[in-house]
Amino acid sequence: MEFAEVVRRRRMVRNYDPDRPVPPDVVERLLEHAIRAPSAGFAQGWGFLVLETPADRELFWTAATPAGGGRERWLAGMRRAPLIVVPHANRSAYLERYAEPDKGWADRATERWPVPYWFVDTGFAALLMLLTAVDEGLGACFFGIPPQRLDAYREAFGVPEEYQPIGAVTVGYRSPDHRSPSLRRGRRPVGEVVRRGRWS
């Protein structure tokens, strides 16, 4: 598939065929592409938790999903995904990397960072997984883990404190699903969001 077509077809898929697992070679390609994401100082401060077995996926949904909230339809389709990948950012990997002699920020101060690149870079990695899924003829969805469920998630999977989940990615073969009501807002045109040469 041409790259422009991959980008055009990318959308958040919220319903999957539960009877078609993601082939192992495709899972490996998703992860191999994820680690090709750019990272500040080539720190590569990310970690990916891959959940493929029914028991692991059920544990994820139990740990990471708040009760109620009117999201039952959304959850029903998402829970059918045969693969969940949780990308994590490791801030300490960046602080340590930039304390090395070629960078020289020995104080490891977070104030030096204009934005938390550990989150930015892990987001890049997640996007590469989303695009790879499209290229492989699959669907995928990136979504957040509610803050009140993070402790339960960490405990369920033994996630070390220095690794912060930035969300989760479901992957699988698409099944018909409802369009998000948010899409009614329409895509903002380039002319509305781009400034050339000067903001105003």
Side-chain angles (χ1 to χ4, degrees), residues 84-117:
I84 304 168
V85 180
V86 186
H88 299 75
N90 183 346
R91 179 181 70 175
S92 62
Y94 285 75
L95 302 184
E96 291 300 320
R97 169 67 186 102
Y98 274 76
E100 292 177 17
D102 64 320
K103 299 294 184 185
W105 294 355
D107 59 6
R108 294 168 176 78
T110 56
E111 294 78 20
R112 292 181 178 275
W113 294 81
V115 296
Y117 280 104

PDB file of all heavy atoms in Angstrom, residues 84-117:
ATOM      1  N   ILE A  84      -3.511  -6.446  22.329  1.00  0.00           N
ATOM      2  CA  ILE A  84      -3.381  -5.148  23.002  1.00  0.00           C
ATOM      3  C   ILE A  84      -1.897  -4.908  23.225  1.00  0.00           C
ATOM      4  O   ILE A  84      -1.185  -5.799  23.718  1.00  0.00           O
ATOM      5  CB  ILE A  84      -4.116  -5.120  24.357  1.00  0.00           C
ATOM      6  CG1 ILE A  84      -5.588  -5.477  24.199  1.00  0.00           C
ATOM      7  CG2 ILE A  84      -3.974  -3.745  25.020  1.00  0.00           C
ATOM      8  CD1 ILE A  84      -6.305  -5.738  25.517  1.00  0.00           C
ATOM      9  N   VAL A  85      -1.423  -3.735  22.854  1.00  0.00           N
ATOM     10  CA  VAL A  85      -0.045  -3.330  23.152  1.00  0.00           C
ATOM     11  C   VAL A  85      -0.117  -2.055  23.976  1.00  0.00           C
ATOM     12  O   VAL A  85      -0.782  -1.094  23.577  1.00  0.00           O
ATOM     13  CB  VAL A  85       0.780  -3.086  21.872  1.00  0.00           C
ATOM     14  CG1 VAL A  85       2.215  -2.676  22.235  1.00  0.00           C
ATOM     15  CG2 VAL A  85       0.781  -4.323  20.977  1.00  0.00           C
ATOM     16  N   VAL A  86       0.545  -2.065  25.119  1.00  0.00           N
ATOM     17  CA  VAL A  86       0.567  -0.885  25.981  1.00  0.00           C
ATOM     18  C   VAL A  86       1.962  -0.261  25.898  1.00  0.00           C
ATOM     19  O   VAL A  86       2.932  -0.840  26.387  1.00  0.00           O
ATOM     20  CB  VAL A  86       0.222  -1.235  27.444  1.00  0.00           C
ATOM     21  CG1 VAL A  86       0.122   0.043  28.281  1.00  0.00           C
ATOM     22  CG2 VAL A  86      -1.075  -2.037  27.521  1.00  0.00           C
ATOM     23  N   PRO A  87       2.087   0.917  25.251  1.00  0.00           N
ATOM     24  CA  PRO A  87       3.375   1.599  25.200  1.00  0.00           C
ATOM     25  C   PRO A  87       3.599   2.407  26.489  1.00  0.00           C
ATOM     26  O   PRO A  87       2.695   3.084  26.972  1.00  0.00           O
ATOM     27  CB  PRO A  87       3.254   2.528  23.988  1.00  0.00           C
ATOM     28  CG  PRO A  87       1.821   2.517  23.570  1.00  0.00           C
ATOM     29  CD  PRO A  87       1.064   1.582  24.447  1.00  0.00           C
ATOM     30  N   HIS A  88       4.803   2.307  27.018  1.00  0.00           N
ATOM     31  CA  HIS A  88       5.177   3.001  28.257  1.00  0.00           C
ATOM     32  C   HIS A  88       6.360   3.917  27.983  1.00  0.00           C
ATOM     33  O   HIS A  88       7.253   3.579  27.205  1.00  0.00           O
ATOM     34  CB  HIS A  88       5.599   1.999  29.333  1.00  0.00           C
ATOM     35  CG  HIS A  88       4.531   1.030  29.720  1.00  0.00           C
ATOM     36  ND1 HIS A  88       4.174  -0.026  28.928  1.00  0.00           N
ATOM     37  CD2 HIS A  88       3.765   0.957  30.829  1.00  0.00           C
ATOM     38  CE1 HIS A  88       3.218  -0.724  29.522  1.00  0.00           C
ATOM     39  NE2 HIS A  88       2.950  -0.149  30.673  1.00  0.00           N
ATOM     40  N   ALA A  89       6.378   5.051  28.668  1.00  0.00           N
ATOM     41  CA  ALA A  89       7.488   5.998  28.588  1.00  0.00           C
ATOM     42  C   ALA A  89       8.301   5.934  29.878  1.00  0.00           C
ATOM     43  O   ALA A  89       7.735   5.828  30.966  1.00  0.00           O
ATOM     44  CB  ALA A  89       6.960   7.413  28.386  1.00  0.00           C
ATOM     45  N   ASN A  90       9.615   6.005  29.734  1.00  0.00           N
ATOM     46  CA  ASN A  90      10.507   5.950  30.885  1.00  0.00           C
ATOM     47  C   ASN A  90      11.301   7.255  30.966  1.00  0.00           C
ATOM     48  O   ASN A  90      12.299   7.433  30.268  1.00  0.00           O
ATOM     49  CB  ASN A  90      11.446   4.748  30.752  1.00  0.00           C
ATOM     50  CG  ASN A  90      12.364   4.582  31.947  1.00  0.00           C
ATOM     51  OD1 ASN A  90      12.509   5.480  32.765  1.00  0.00           O
ATOM     52  ND2 ASN A  90      12.995   3.428  32.042  1.00  0.00           N
ATOM     53  N   ARG A  91      10.826   8.170  31.798  1.00  0.00           N
ATOM     54  CA  ARG A  91      11.488   9.473  31.934  1.00  0.00           C
ATOM     55  C   ARG A  91      12.937   9.325  32.374  1.00  0.00           C
ATOM     56  O   ARG A  91      13.815  10.032  31.878  1.00  0.00           O
ATOM     57  CB  ARG A  91      10.720  10.333  32.939  1.00  0.00           C
ATOM     58  CG  ARG A  91      11.349  11.699  33.160  1.00  0.00           C
ATOM     59  CD  ARG A  91      10.597  12.524  34.164  1.00  0.00           C
ATOM     60  NE  ARG A  91      10.747  11.979  35.507  1.00  0.00           N
ATOM     61  CZ  ARG A  91      10.277  12.558  36.605  1.00  0.00           C
ATOM     62  NH1 ARG A  91       9.596  13.678  36.514  1.00  0.00           N
ATOM     63  NH2 ARG A  91      10.468  12.017  37.780  1.00  0.00           N
ATOM     64  N   SER A  92      13.206   8.426  33.297  1.00  0.00           N
ATOM     65  CA  SER A  92      14.566   8.306  33.839  1.00  0.00           C
ATOM     66  C   SER A  92      15.572   7.935  32.752  1.00  0.00           C
ATOM     67  O   SER A  92      16.738   8.340  32.831  1.00  0.00           O
ATOM     68  CB  SER A  92      14.604   7.294  34.985  1.00  0.00           C
ATOM     69  OG  SER A  92      14.249   6.003  34.540  1.00  0.00           O
ATOM     70  N   ALA A  93      15.149   7.184  31.736  1.00  0.00           N
ATOM     71  CA  ALA A  93      16.066   6.852  30.640  1.00  0.00           C
ATOM     72  C   ALA A  93      16.539   8.112  29.930  1.00  0.00           C
ATOM     73  O   ALA A  93      17.699   8.211  29.516  1.00  0.00           O
ATOM     74  CB  ALA A  93      15.379   5.903  29.656  1.00  0.00           C
ATOM     75  N   TYR A  94      15.665   9.099  29.804  1.00  0.00           N
ATOM     76  CA  TYR A  94      16.017  10.360  29.150  1.00  0.00           C
ATOM     77  C   TYR A  94      16.908  11.209  30.051  1.00  0.00           C
ATOM     78  O   TYR A  94      17.888  11.805  29.600  1.00  0.00           O
ATOM     79  CB  TYR A  94      14.750  11.121  28.768  1.00  0.00           C
ATOM     80  CG  TYR A  94      14.062  10.522  27.575  1.00  0.00           C
ATOM     81  CD1 TYR A  94      13.343   9.347  27.701  1.00  0.00           C
ATOM     82  CD2 TYR A  94      14.158  11.113  26.328  1.00  0.00           C
ATOM     83  CE1 TYR A  94      12.716   8.768  26.605  1.00  0.00           C
ATOM     84  CE2 TYR A  94      13.541  10.557  25.226  1.00  0.00           C
ATOM     85  CZ  TYR A  94      12.824   9.378  25.368  1.00  0.00           C
ATOM     86  OH  TYR A  94      12.217   8.803  24.285  1.00  0.00           O
ATOM     87  N   LEU A  95      16.569  11.274  31.333  1.00  0.00           N
ATOM     88  CA  LEU A  95      17.376  12.070  32.254  1.00  0.00           C
ATOM     89  C   LEU A  95      18.781  11.495  32.369  1.00  0.00           C
ATOM     90  O   LEU A  95      19.770  12.250  32.424  1.00  0.00           O
ATOM     91  CB  LEU A  95      16.696  12.142  33.627  1.00  0.00           C
ATOM     92  CG  LEU A  95      15.281  12.738  33.639  1.00  0.00           C
ATOM     93  CD1 LEU A  95      14.762  12.832  35.073  1.00  0.00           C
ATOM     94  CD2 LEU A  95      15.239  14.100  32.961  1.00  0.00           C
ATOM     95  N   GLU A  96      18.886  10.174  32.391  1.00  0.00           N
ATOM     96  CA  GLU A  96      20.209   9.531  32.441  1.00  0.00           C
ATOM     97  C   GLU A  96      20.976   9.764  31.138  1.00  0.00           C
ATOM     98  O   GLU A  96      22.170  10.052  31.159  1.00  0.00           O
ATOM     99  CB  GLU A  96      20.062   8.032  32.704  1.00  0.00           C
ATOM    100  CG  GLU A  96      19.555   7.688  34.095  1.00  0.00           C
ATOM    101  CD  GLU A  96      20.463   8.202  35.201  1.00  0.00           C
ATOM    102  OE1 GLU A  96      21.703   8.121  35.047  1.00  0.00           O
ATOM    103  OE2 GLU A  96      19.942   8.711  36.207  1.00  0.00           O
ATOM    104  N   ARG A  97      20.291   9.628  30.023  1.00  0.00           N
ATOM    105  CA  ARG A  97      20.961   9.815  28.730  1.00  0.00           C
ATOM    106  C   ARG A  97      21.517  11.227  28.608  1.00  0.00           C
ATOM    107  O   ARG A  97      22.642  11.434  28.144  1.00  0.00           O
ATOM    108  CB  ARG A  97      19.961   9.531  27.592  1.00  0.00           C
ATOM    109  CG  ARG A  97      20.444   9.938  26.203  1.00  0.00           C
ATOM    110  CD  ARG A  97      21.630   9.097  25.738  1.00  0.00           C
ATOM    111  NE  ARG A  97      22.159   9.579  24.485  1.00  0.00           N
ATOM    112  CZ  ARG A  97      23.262  10.323  24.357  1.00  0.00           C
ATOM    113  NH1 ARG A  97      23.962  10.666  25.431  1.00  0.00           N
ATOM    114  NH2 ARG A  97      23.673  10.709  23.172  1.00  0.00           N
ATOM    115  N   TYR A  98      20.751  12.226  29.045  1.00  0.00           N
ATOM    116  CA  TYR A  98      21.204  13.603  28.902  1.00  0.00           C
ATOM    117  C   TYR A  98      22.174  14.027  30.000  1.00  0.00           C
ATOM    118  O   TYR A  98      22.701  15.141  29.964  1.00  0.00           O
ATOM    119  CB  TYR A  98      20.003  14.546  28.781  1.00  0.00           C
ATOM    120  CG  TYR A  98      19.555  14.628  27.343  1.00  0.00           C
ATOM    121  CD1 TYR A  98      18.841  13.579  26.764  1.00  0.00           C
ATOM    122  CD2 TYR A  98      19.906  15.698  26.542  1.00  0.00           C
ATOM    123  CE1 TYR A  98      18.470  13.624  25.430  1.00  0.00           C
ATOM    124  CE2 TYR A  98      19.532  15.752  25.206  1.00  0.00           C
ATOM    125  CZ  TYR A  98      18.819  14.714  24.651  1.00  0.00           C
ATOM    126  OH  TYR A  98      18.463  14.745  23.324  1.00  0.00           O
ATOM    127  N   ALA A  99      22.456  13.134  30.928  1.00  0.00           N
ATOM    128  CA  ALA A  99      23.521  13.373  31.903  1.00  0.00           C
ATOM    129  C   ALA A  99      24.853  12.799  31.415  1.00  0.00           C
ATOM    130  O   ALA A  99      25.887  12.990  32.066  1.00  0.00           O
ATOM    131  CB  ALA A  99      23.150  12.748  33.249  1.00  0.00           C
ATOM    132  N   GLU A 100      24.855  12.117  30.287  1.00  0.00           N
ATOM    133  CA  GLU A 100      26.087  11.563  29.727  1.00  0.00           C
ATOM    134  C   GLU A 100      26.963  12.688  29.171  1.00  0.00           C
ATOM    135  O   GLU A 100      26.464  13.786  28.870  1.00  0.00           O
ATOM    136  CB  GLU A 100      25.751  10.529  28.650  1.00  0.00           C
ATOM    137  CG  GLU A 100      25.093   9.277  29.235  1.00  0.00           C
ATOM    138  CD  GLU A 100      24.681   8.269  28.180  1.00  0.00           C
ATOM    139  OE1 GLU A 100      25.168   8.352  27.031  1.00  0.00           O
ATOM    140  OE2 GLU A 100      23.858   7.397  28.502  1.00  0.00           O
ATOM    141  N   PRO A 101      28.279  12.435  29.041  1.00  0.00           N
ATOM    142  CA  PRO A 101      29.218  13.508  28.671  1.00  0.00           C
ATOM    143  C   PRO A 101      28.868  14.272  27.396  1.00  0.00           C
ATOM    144  O   PRO A 101      29.094  15.482  27.320  1.00  0.00           O
ATOM    145  CB  PRO A 101      30.549  12.762  28.513  1.00  0.00           C
ATOM    146  CG  PRO A 101      30.412  11.576  29.421  1.00  0.00           C
ATOM    147  CD  PRO A 101      28.970  11.175  29.347  1.00  0.00           C
ATOM    148  N   ASP A 102      28.314  13.605  26.380  1.00  0.00           N
ATOM    149  CA  ASP A 102      28.038  14.316  25.130  1.00  0.00           C
ATOM    150  C   ASP A 102      26.840  15.251  25.232  1.00  0.00           C
ATOM    151  O   ASP A 102      26.641  16.106  24.367  1.00  0.00           O
ATOM    152  CB  ASP A 102      27.843  13.332  23.974  1.00  0.00           C
ATOM    153  CG  ASP A 102      26.636  12.433  24.149  1.00  0.00           C
ATOM    154  OD1 ASP A 102      26.387  11.988  25.280  1.00  0.00           O
ATOM    155  OD2 ASP A 102      25.942  12.159  23.142  1.00  0.00           O
ATOM    156  N   LYS A 103      26.034  15.112  26.295  1.00  0.00           N
ATOM    157  CA  LYS A 103      24.895  16.013  26.507  1.00  0.00           C
ATOM    158  C   LYS A 103      25.169  16.960  27.682  1.00  0.00           C
ATOM    159  O   LYS A 103      24.878  18.137  27.599  1.00  0.00           O
ATOM    160  CB  LYS A 103      23.610  15.217  26.762  1.00  0.00           C
ATOM    161  CG  LYS A 103      23.219  14.312  25.607  1.00  0.00           C
ATOM    162  CD  LYS A 103      22.850  15.095  24.367  1.00  0.00           C
ATOM    163  CE  LYS A 103      22.380  14.172  23.260  1.00  0.00           C
ATOM    164  NZ  LYS A 103      22.131  14.893  22.002  1.00  0.00           N
ATOM    165  N   GLY A 104      25.654  16.401  28.789  1.00  0.00           N
ATOM    166  CA  GLY A 104      26.180  17.217  29.867  1.00  0.00           C
ATOM    167  C   GLY A 104      25.194  17.826  30.846  1.00  0.00           C
ATOM    168  O   GLY A 104      25.552  18.716  31.609  1.00  0.00           O
ATOM    169  N   TRP A 105      23.956  17.371  30.877  1.00  0.00           N
ATOM    170  CA  TRP A 105      23.005  17.886  31.851  1.00  0.00           C
ATOM    171  C   TRP A 105      23.063  17.026  33.104  1.00  0.00           C
ATOM    172  O   TRP A 105      22.125  16.298  33.443  1.00  0.00           O
ATOM    173  CB  TRP A 105      21.586  17.881  31.299  1.00  0.00           C
ATOM    174  CG  TRP A 105      21.361  18.818  30.156  1.00  0.00           C
ATOM    175  CD1 TRP A 105      22.234  19.721  29.636  1.00  0.00           C
ATOM    176  CD2 TRP A 105      20.160  18.926  29.398  1.00  0.00           C
ATOM    177  NE1 TRP A 105      21.659  20.394  28.597  1.00  0.00           N
ATOM    178  CE2 TRP A 105      20.378  19.930  28.426  1.00  0.00           C
ATOM    179  CE3 TRP A 105      18.925  18.297  29.441  1.00  0.00           C
ATOM    180  CZ2 TRP A 105      19.410  20.306  27.499  1.00  0.00           C
ATOM    181  CZ3 TRP A 105      17.951  18.663  28.522  1.00  0.00           C
ATOM    182  CH2 TRP A 105      18.201  19.660  27.569  1.00  0.00           C
ATOM    183  N   ALA A 106      24.189  17.092  33.792  1.00  0.00           N
ATOM    184  CA  ALA A 106      24.443  16.182  34.901  1.00  0.00           C
ATOM    185  C   ALA A 106      23.449  16.319  36.055  1.00  0.00           C
ATOM    186  O   ALA A 106      23.300  15.404  36.863  1.00  0.00           O
ATOM    187  CB  ALA A 106      25.872  16.370  35.422  1.00  0.00           C
ATOM    188  N   ASP A 107      22.771  17.464  36.139  1.00  0.00           N
ATOM    189  CA  ASP A 107      21.830  17.643  37.251  1.00  0.00           C
ATOM    190  C   ASP A 107      20.510  16.886  37.057  1.00  0.00           C
ATOM    191  O   ASP A 107      19.698  16.793  37.962  1.00  0.00           O
ATOM    192  CB  ASP A 107      21.534  19.131  37.481  1.00  0.00           C
ATOM    193  CG  ASP A 107      20.930  19.808  36.253  1.00  0.00           C
ATOM    194  OD1 ASP A 107      20.628  19.115  35.246  1.00  0.00           O
ATOM    195  OD2 ASP A 107      20.756  21.034  36.295  1.00  0.00           O
ATOM    196  N   ARG A 108      20.284  16.362  35.843  1.00  0.00           N
ATOM    197  CA  ARG A 108      19.083  15.573  35.534  1.00  0.00           C
ATOM    198  C   ARG A 108      17.779  16.354  35.800  1.00  0.00           C
ATOM    199  O   ARG A 108      16.748  15.765  36.107  1.00  0.00           O
ATOM    200  CB  ARG A 108      19.070  14.253  36.308  1.00  0.00           C
ATOM    201  CG  ARG A 108      20.189  13.303  35.898  1.00  0.00           C
ATOM    202  CD  ARG A 108      20.335  12.133  36.857  1.00  0.00           C
ATOM    203  NE  ARG A 108      21.328  11.185  36.416  1.00  0.00           N
ATOM    204  CZ  ARG A 108      22.642  11.350  36.543  1.00  0.00           C
ATOM    205  NH1 ARG A 108      23.120  12.461  37.088  1.00  0.00           N
ATOM    206  NH2 ARG A 108      23.478  10.421  36.129  1.00  0.00           N
ATOM    207  N   ALA A 109      17.839  17.659  35.670  1.00  0.00           N
ATOM    208  CA  ALA A 109      16.672  18.495  35.957  1.00  0.00           C
ATOM    209  C   ALA A 109      15.643  18.390  34.836  1.00  0.00           C
ATOM    210  O   ALA A 109      15.972  18.563  33.661  1.00  0.00           O
ATOM    211  CB  ALA A 109      17.094  19.946  36.133  1.00  0.00           C
ATOM    212  N   THR A 110      14.400  18.132  35.205  1.00  0.00           N
ATOM    213  CA  THR A 110      13.334  18.067  34.198  1.00  0.00           C
ATOM    214  C   THR A 110      13.003  19.456  33.648  1.00  0.00           C
ATOM    215  O   THR A 110      12.434  19.563  32.570  1.00  0.00           O
ATOM    216  CB  THR A 110      12.066  17.422  34.780  1.00  0.00           C
ATOM    217  OG1 THR A 110      11.667  18.150  35.942  1.00  0.00           O
ATOM    218  CG2 THR A 110      12.313  15.961  35.146  1.00  0.00           C
ATOM    219  N   GLU A 111      13.377  20.517  34.376  1.00  0.00           N
ATOM    220  CA  GLU A 111      13.086  21.878  33.929  1.00  0.00           C
ATOM    221  C   GLU A 111      13.824  22.230  32.638  1.00  0.00           C
ATOM    222  O   GLU A 111      13.461  23.187  31.955  1.00  0.00           O
ATOM    223  CB  GLU A 111      13.458  22.900  35.013  1.00  0.00           C
ATOM    224  CG  GLU A 111      12.612  22.805  36.266  1.00  0.00           C
ATOM    225  CD  GLU A 111      13.030  21.650  37.187  1.00  0.00           C
ATOM    226  OE1 GLU A 111      14.182  21.158  37.076  1.00  0.00           O
ATOM    227  OE2 GLU A 111      12.187  21.216  37.984  1.00  0.00           O
ATOM    228  N   ARG A 112      14.881  21.501  32.308  1.00  0.00           N
ATOM    229  CA  ARG A 112      15.635  21.763  31.092  1.00  0.00           C
ATOM    230  C   ARG A 112      14.853  21.365  29.833  1.00  0.00           C
ATOM    231  O   ARG A 112      15.171  21.814  28.743  1.00  0.00           O
ATOM    232  CB  ARG A 112      16.949  20.985  31.096  1.00  0.00           C
ATOM    233  CG  ARG A 112      17.944  21.445  32.130  1.00  0.00           C
ATOM    234  CD  ARG A 112      19.218  20.611  32.002  1.00  0.00           C
ATOM    235  NE  ARG A 112      20.227  21.034  32.939  1.00  0.00           N
ATOM    236  CZ  ARG A 112      21.075  22.024  32.730  1.00  0.00           C
ATOM    237  NH1 ARG A 112      20.999  22.731  31.627  1.00  0.00           N
ATOM    238  NH2 ARG A 112      21.981  22.329  33.632  1.00  0.00           N
ATOM    239  N   TRP A 113      13.866  20.511  30.009  1.00  0.00           N
ATOM    240  CA  TRP A 113      13.146  19.960  28.865  1.00  0.00           C
ATOM    241  C   TRP A 113      11.979  20.870  28.482  1.00  0.00           C
ATOM    242  O   TRP A 113      11.111  21.136  29.313  1.00  0.00           O
ATOM    243  CB  TRP A 113      12.631  18.557  29.212  1.00  0.00           C
ATOM    244  CG  TRP A 113      13.751  17.589  29.427  1.00  0.00           C
ATOM    245  CD1 TRP A 113      14.488  17.436  30.563  1.00  0.00           C
ATOM    246  CD2 TRP A 113      14.279  16.662  28.490  1.00  0.00           C
ATOM    247  NE1 TRP A 113      15.438  16.471  30.391  1.00  0.00           N
ATOM    248  CE2 TRP A 113      15.335  15.973  29.120  1.00  0.00           C
ATOM    249  CE3 TRP A 113      13.951  16.349  27.174  1.00  0.00           C
ATOM    250  CZ2 TRP A 113      16.064  14.985  28.476  1.00  0.00           C
ATOM    251  CZ3 TRP A 113      14.686  15.356  26.536  1.00  0.00           C
ATOM    252  CH2 TRP A 113      15.729  14.691  27.185  1.00  0.00           C
ATOM    253  N   PRO A 114      11.943  21.366  27.239  1.00  0.00           N
ATOM    254  CA  PRO A 114      10.837  22.244  26.848  1.00  0.00           C
ATOM    255  C   PRO A 114       9.489  21.530  26.882  1.00  0.00           C
ATOM    256  O   PRO A 114       8.464  22.140  27.158  1.00  0.00           O
ATOM    257  CB  PRO A 114      11.200  22.678  25.426  1.00  0.00           C
ATOM    258  CG  PRO A 114      12.181  21.664  24.934  1.00  0.00           C
ATOM    259  CD  PRO A 114      12.897  21.143  26.144  1.00  0.00           C
ATOM    260  N   VAL A 115       9.495  20.247  26.564  1.00  0.00           N
ATOM    261  CA  VAL A 115       8.317  19.379  26.699  1.00  0.00           C
ATOM    262  C   VAL A 115       8.829  18.016  27.149  1.00  0.00           C
ATOM    263  O   VAL A 115      10.001  17.692  26.962  1.00  0.00           O
ATOM    264  CB  VAL A 115       7.509  19.244  25.372  1.00  0.00           C
ATOM    265  CG1 VAL A 115       6.910  20.574  24.942  1.00  0.00           C
ATOM    266  CG2 VAL A 115       8.353  18.639  24.266  1.00  0.00           C
ATOM    267  N   PRO A 116       7.982  17.165  27.727  1.00  0.00           N
ATOM    268  CA  PRO A 116       8.441  15.832  28.153  1.00  0.00           C
ATOM    269  C   PRO A 116       8.594  14.886  26.958  1.00  0.00           C
ATOM    270  O   PRO A 116       7.652  14.191  26.569  1.00  0.00           O
ATOM    271  CB  PRO A 116       7.347  15.379  29.120  1.00  0.00           C
ATOM    272  CG  PRO A 116       6.132  16.140  28.732  1.00  0.00           C
ATOM    273  CD  PRO A 116       6.606  17.436  28.137  1.00  0.00           C
ATOM    274  N   TYR A 117       9.770  14.895  26.359  1.00  0.00           N
ATOM    275  CA  TYR A 117       9.982  14.118  25.139  1.00  0.00           C
ATOM    276  C   TYR A 117       9.819  12.619  25.351  1.00  0.00           C
ATOM    277  O   TYR A 117       9.596  11.889  24.376  1.00  0.00           O
ATOM    278  CB  TYR A 117      11.346  14.438  24.521  1.00  0.00           C
ATOM    279  CG  TYR A 117      11.304  15.717  23.730  1.00  0.00           C
ATOM    280  CD1 TYR A 117      11.843  16.888  24.239  1.00  0.00           C
ATOM    281  CD2 TYR A 117      10.672  15.762  22.490  1.00  0.00           C
ATOM    282  CE1 TYR A 117      11.771  18.068  23.528  1.00  0.00           C
ATOM    283  CE2 TYR A 117      10.604  16.944  21.768  1.00  0.00           C
ATOM    284  CZ  TYR A 117      11.156  18.087  22.296  1.00  0.00           C
ATOM    285  OH  TYR A 117      11.071  19.263  21.586  1.00  0.00           O
TER     286      TYR A 117
END
